[in-house]
Amino acid sequence: MAAVLESLLREEVSVAAVVRWIAHSTRGSEDNPGEAAALSSLRPLRKEFVPFLLNFLREQSSRVLPQGPPTPAKAPGASAALPGRPGGPSRGSRGARSQLFPPTEAASTAAEAPLARRGGRRRGPGPARERGGRGLEEGVSGENLPGAGGRRLRGSGSPSRPSLTLSDPPNLSNLEEFPPVGSVPPGPAGTKPSRRINPTPVSEERSLSKPKTCFTSPPISCVPSSQPSALDTSPWGLGLPPGCRSLQEEREMLRKERSKQLQQSPTPTCPTPELGSPLPSRAGSLTDEPADPARVSSRQRLELVALVYSSCIAENLVPNLFLELFFVFQLLTARRMVTAKDSDPELSPGVLDSLESPLFQSIHDCVFFAVQVLECHFQVLSNLDKGTLKLLAENERLLCFSPALQGRLRAAYEGSVAKVSLAMPPSAQAVSFQPETDNRANFSSDRAFHTFKKQRDVFYEVLREWEDHHEEPGWDFEKGLGSRIRAMMGQLSAACSHSHFVRLFQKQLLQMCQSPGGAGGTVLGEAPDVLSMLGADKLGRLWRLQERLMAPQSSGGPCPPPTFPGCQGFFRDFILSASSFQFNQHLMDSLSLKIRELNGLALPQHEPSDEDGESDVDWQGERRQFAVVLLSLRLLAKFLGFVAFLPYRGPEPPPTGELQDSILALRSQVPPVLDVRTLLQRGLQARRAVLTVPWLVEFLSFADHVVPLLDYYRDIFILLLRLHRSLVLSQESEGKMCFLNKLLLLAVLGWLFQIPTVPEDLFFLEEGPSDAFEVDTVAPEHGLDAAPVVDQQLLYTCCPYIGELRKLLALWVSGSSGRSGGFMRKITPTTTTGLGAQPSQTSQGLQARLAQAFFHNQPPSLRRTVEFVAERIGSNCVKHIKATLVADLVRQAESLLQEQLVTQGEEGGDPAQLLEILCSQLCPHGAQALALGREFCQRKSPGAVQALLPEETPAAVLSSAENIAVGLATEKACAWLSANITALIRREVKAAVSRTLRAQGPEPAARGERRGCSRACEHHAPLPSHLISEIKDVLSLAVGPRDPDEGVSPEHLEQLLGQLGQTLRCRQFLCPPAEQHLAKCSVELASLLVADQIPILGPPAQYRLERGQARRLLHMLLSLWKEDFQGPVPLQLLLSPRNVGLLADTRPREWDLLLFLLRELVEKGLMGRMEIEACLGSLHQAQWPGDFAEELATLSNLFLAEPPLPEPQLRACELVQPNRGTVLAQS
Amino acid sequence: MILTKAQYEEIAQCLVSVPPTRQSLRKLKQRFPSQSQATLLSIFSQEYQKHIKRTHAKHHTSEAIESYYQRKTEYLKGKCAFLEIRRSANRYLNGVVKNGAAPVLLDLANEVDYAPSLMARLILERFLQEHEETAPSKSVINSMLRDPSQIPDGVLANQVYQCIVNDCCYGPLVDCIKHAIGHEHEVLLRDLLLEKNLSFLDEDQLRAKGYDKTPDFILQVPVAVEGHIIHWIESKASFGDECSHHAYLHDQFWSYWNRFGPGLVIYWYGFIQELDCNRERGILLKACFPTNIVTLCHSLA
């Protein structure tokens, strides 16, 4: 490998030839023969060149970036290349990986004291130097080391990986462990391990092709374990194999090699004396070493390497574009050179062209190299967000080294509109209740319905509790909520309940987590959020403010592992805590369905011809729509991947050998949860990779170690690799993929290739006929890929790790304060995206094709409008039929039922039978529905289309659009109606029948027609509750106990009855129960009046109500009963033993009022004589004191003996009982 | 009538072991003349109910029931004799105080610090058990309490009736008053919504559509009150104290939020100020119909 590089440096071969050689192994004919010959001998090594180059650069830069942030990876095969070549500094015993960091020898010069200090600097116990069996691992990723104080258990609960406690000295270059002074501590999420390209273990055979067994990357996450050998115990962990014992050997080999080299090469003098010890520089104030273009050593060599490197990047020969950019930015912002004894700035001319001398001998070299590379990638840079561009354009080193590039960047900055914001979404909104899917009719039983009702509430209760507590230290999801969640899941017995709950879960997931930027609440299929409509401005400002107040979230370096940030953590933990296989299965079904649905959504396609102002407006909407769909897909796919691979991820290392074979044999039998391979193939064919690949990557990022070994998934990875290779950014042409679309795909694919479970040899070894990546596109010429659907906001939302570039630059600007730039802004969507309906699958051949053709040359908005109108009108049509035709039929059913009930008598017959009779009569009328539906669509659709299309739409286009809308709407409506109308009628009639039958049941009188208050009524009558309360007070006074000074005045009683009349006449506030109680209380009051039991206030002597007053009050009551009460009045209570018994207490007993009352009742028709007779008869059966029974009998006889008499005769009756204290005497 | 927690506690403090009679209420009104009567009554009622809930079990042990029943029976026997004497005396003296019946059961309830209506129910249950041999059904008991005339024993009927009309916190009459008050305020709220031209779906309509949880009103077009979005309004004709508010939150308000988003609760008789802490979360408390309602501006849409 080095030979290639060296021949390049010696200008034996051209850069172009080298790149061609690497990229296209099969070609070479166009190279000049000499070059070809030089390279062809090296052919076997071709595949290893890029890894070698990357590792070479990392290694060379190791002294510059001692305290750089997590450094990007080395590639496999690097160390394999080294031993073959003499020269180069020896690096002591830490193995190849250690070359990225300050050489131990260098450190040891300044060593003893610093070592002690290092120990002190280690925050916390710092036990787990997790090597995961990889020498290359530690030190680079902050994740490996428990930064005790700063590190928190990540909410994601991702696995810890196998760790080994090493006795190595602490790694000074670990930014996390030894952060630069004043730098921001890692965000709450902690930094994620950067995935590095791992070295293939050195062995004599160099069997690169053997199945991969090693990963250098730390596993997804990072619960650092202090147990040396503790394996990952979390079930979803992407455990790291502890294997690779051979690395020890490797290190040993390297050490020997190095020492040989050291002996051979001249000992360099130290070029940077002020950096005698690297330690003070970390601890003390950082003085950045100025970079000076004039002091660059070996320009030519740097230029050449930069060119090769840039070309490799440009050809997508490196796994991760942004990782390389990150590395270059690190070089650009390197603060100082670490002293290395073995580096010699003043190289003798003899070694200039070889690789034996360090490539970067000073900061000047680094910056020069970085700027060289950046110049080649201006196009990528110019497409970064505005904030990054600003920082780049303002970078003084860049200005100093390449004013031209700086100028272009400045111009790009000024022209950029790509403000990006990753604000967190506001707190949860609940999924709204939709009667169509959520009401009783959608459940198998009342029990299931009510269970789900409770579950919904428990779910949100749990969610609210999580919101309140999950950020509190020491709060644990499982401990806090686990048992409640499982109890709730335990109630989901019916399968249908599971699907209901899953629907709720999925909707809530989409609503809360869809995107950090989509905070406005644009959720697929949901009504637009009022918040965003009402106060978008205010809210936008609030969120922007919030964003500034929040520390920028560290996304964990340029290659973070998959995580569940923010609210997603809730859903992930919920799934884990629920640990319900039914739930998981239903969830997977539902997620798969939704993914298919969204992935197949007919997104508008770009028409290049349509590039005027208006289409800009359209594009705004379409981009937003695309973003909504894409982000939803990614979220759903992430959870699908999480759940689908959950059973296969475990703490144990990936199996090897026979065990692996048997597992592979088993797993290959299992059909994939979703046929992603087909979806990918179709997506590529239809040129919709920009939609399909990003969610597929999310899905695959949760795959377990075995997955990439399965044929099915291997095919997918190969397809993705080929796609990656084909996405050359510089090749732009009409109809091909847009730049930002490519950039998005490169970013997500690059990220995927760094996921620990994805074998890294896949990238370098999978020899795809890369130039043969020509998908047979059956799609229209302009697929989604060619449409500018991706903008920076979406790019950064999908790949927040690109923001690490900006952080790096900001860190440089602000010295050591890690705040990201001050001008982050939030782009708040203020309108909502209505997803167009899917095109209806018409089967009418030619007509359908004509309609398609019609839309082809029209703006996409036209098609959307027509589809939208058709969908809505079609749906409304069904509702219209329900409200008209079906409602009429239901009314008929009700009257038919009434007839039935009348003819069949009270019992009414068997309800089921009744229903059958009615349905057989009514259902045939359903046939009218189709005609009515057709008429409705015809009537309504054109107006809607007209209203929605622009004024200048040509008449012919308009009428065609109208007709198509009518046709589609009719088709939709009629399809539904013809399939469902009978069932609908049946259902509605059934509901009506049970309603009617129920109404037949208890309290029919209460349901009877009631009079309202008169039109002039102003509802000023006293409130019923007030009256009941007042009457109750009178009653309680009457029955006692009472104080001596308590009582009521006659006027008060009269007023009370007057008010009662008003209240009863104004029905506004009166409800049946209140009226019933008023009626009963009025009867009680009458009884107390008759028995003269009401304590009257007044002159002390007069404590009994006057006869006349009593009669007046009774008259009022009679009139109320007669005229004003609409419900039944329990007048028979007047003759209940208890009320009549009240008379027993009075001395002398006065029967006249009772008799008066009874006669009046008959007179007014309030009670029948027979009824009263019956009551009086039953009174005799009660036990009374002897004299009372006698008197009662007399009264009874009196009443019964005489026919109803007018007032004058009443006296006569009274006269018959002179001994009873007569009415005459007192009235 | 929004009270601070301190103000509320001052009132609640005065209500410790006060019997639920009209006399107690009168005293309370004198003690806090500045508070509205309805608010005081509501607080009184709630405090008393809390008290009863705490002590309920104590009165429902079979020993306690037995002892009450025996005492009542003895009292009645003794007092009836006494009453006869007093009645005779009254007849002659043209009595100053004329009690229809001696408040035996009521006194017993007050003596053991239990709600008169509940005491009446307890004794009635026990009575029916003794006289009818089969355990009386709940509906029979309720019906007898609503209409004591149905009670086979006339003396007990009077006693029960007396308990019921003298109890201002429990009993069928009180229940009816509470129900009526609730209904009246719903009507009031409906009128106000109509007056403001806010279209809504009421409970009955929602139930007919099959909603599983139904606030009093769901606004068809949401509005904003004091900067908060309102999708639904619930009317509560009571005072919002901690206990009832938490119960309502759990059983109703959060359930509404879970289905319909943020909303407004009107506690017509006031509430404890400190409870209005979920505004940001989506539950706004008011003690009256809000005055400044911001509606969706159609010209913008």
Side-chain angles (χ1 to χ4, degrees), chain A residues 847-863:
Chain A
Q847 275 305 314
R849 272 191 283 149
L850 279 174
Q852 294 284 343
F854 166 71
F855 286 118
H856 189 260
N857 287 322
Q858 297 296 336
S861 61
L862 179 82
R863 182 189 185 128

Side-chain angles (χ1 to χ4, degrees), chain A residues 148-215:
Chain A
R151 177 92 34 87
R152 277 189 228 157
L153 250 167
R154 216 135 27 82
S156 68
S158 336
S160 63
R161 62 204 195 86
S163 55
L164 297 166
T165 306
L166 298 184
S167 53
D168 297 30
N171 185 351
L172 303 182
S173 50
N174 183 317
L175 189 66
E176 173 141 337
E177 196 177 14
F178 304 108
V181 170
S183 73
V184 240
T191 37
K192 316 302 179 318
S194 75
R195 163 66 186 271
R196 7 188 91 251
I197 302 167
N198 70 322
T200 307
V202 181
S203 67
E204 269 71 23
E205 312 90 80
R206 293 172 51 182
S207 56
L208 291 169
S209 54
K210 72 178 177 187
K212 163 184 180 299
T213 52
C214 311
F215 293 99

Side-chain angles (χ1 to χ4, degrees), chain A residues 430-433 439 453 457 460 464 468 1024-1025 1032 1036 1039-1042 1046 1068 1080 1103 1138 1145, chain B residues 22 26 94 98 100 106 146 158 162 165-167 184 191 209-212 254-255 257-259 281:
Chain A
V431 170
S432 74
F433 180 95
N439 74 11
K453 173 173 88 179
D457 289 329
Y460 284 109
R464 271 190 294 272
D468 287 342
S1025 61
K1032 175 174 170 280
S1036 73
V1039 301
R1042 56 179 175 266
E1046 282 185 307
Q1068 175 76 350
K1080 214 158 98 292
Y1103 63 93
R1138 195 176 65 81
D1145 281 348
Chain B
R22 40 169 219 288
R26 207 169 48 215
N94 215 359
K98 183 166 164 290
L106 188 62
R146 269 199 303 273
N158 283 335
Q162 192 174 38
V165 293
N166 274 295
D167 192 331
E184 288 154 14
D191 288 351
K209 280 173 178 265
Y211 282 80
D212 59 354
W254 285 127
S255 295
W257 183 95
N258 297 343
R259 289 159 179 77
R281 267 264 165 95

Side-chain angles (χ1 to χ4, degrees), chain A residues 854-855 862 866 945 949 953 955-966:
Chain A
F854 166 71
F855 286 118
L862 179 82
V866 168
V945 172
L949 288 182
T953 309
V957 172
L958 184 64
S959 86
S960 297
E962 286 171 11
N963 289 336
I964 293 170
V966 169

Side-chain angles (χ1 to χ4, degrees), chain A residues 777-830:
Chain A
T777 47
V778 293
E781 196 159 315
H782 304 294
L784 198 56
D785 285 347
V789 284
V790 176
D791 59 8
Q792 278 86 353
Q793 176 71 44
L794 183 60
L795 178 68
Y796 277 71
T797 305
C798 290
C799 315
Y801 34 86
I802 302 177
E804 294 293 307
L805 296 177
R806 176 156 84 177
K807 280 181 205 155
L808 211 54
L809 294 171
L811 203 68
W812 165 253
V813 171
S814 57
S816 41
S817 102
R819 284 182 304 155
S820 48
F823 53 98
M824 270 177 120
R825 282 279 186 79
K826 162 133 185 63
I827 301 168
T828 308
T830 51

Side-chain angles (χ1 to χ4, degrees), chain B residues 1 3 7 11 29 32-40:
Chain B
M1 194 62 61
L3 303 181
Q7 283 174 315
I11 296 172
K29 286 169 193 166
F32 297 100
S34 62
Q35 308 291 354
S36 90
Q37 294 199 6
T39 301
L40 287 175

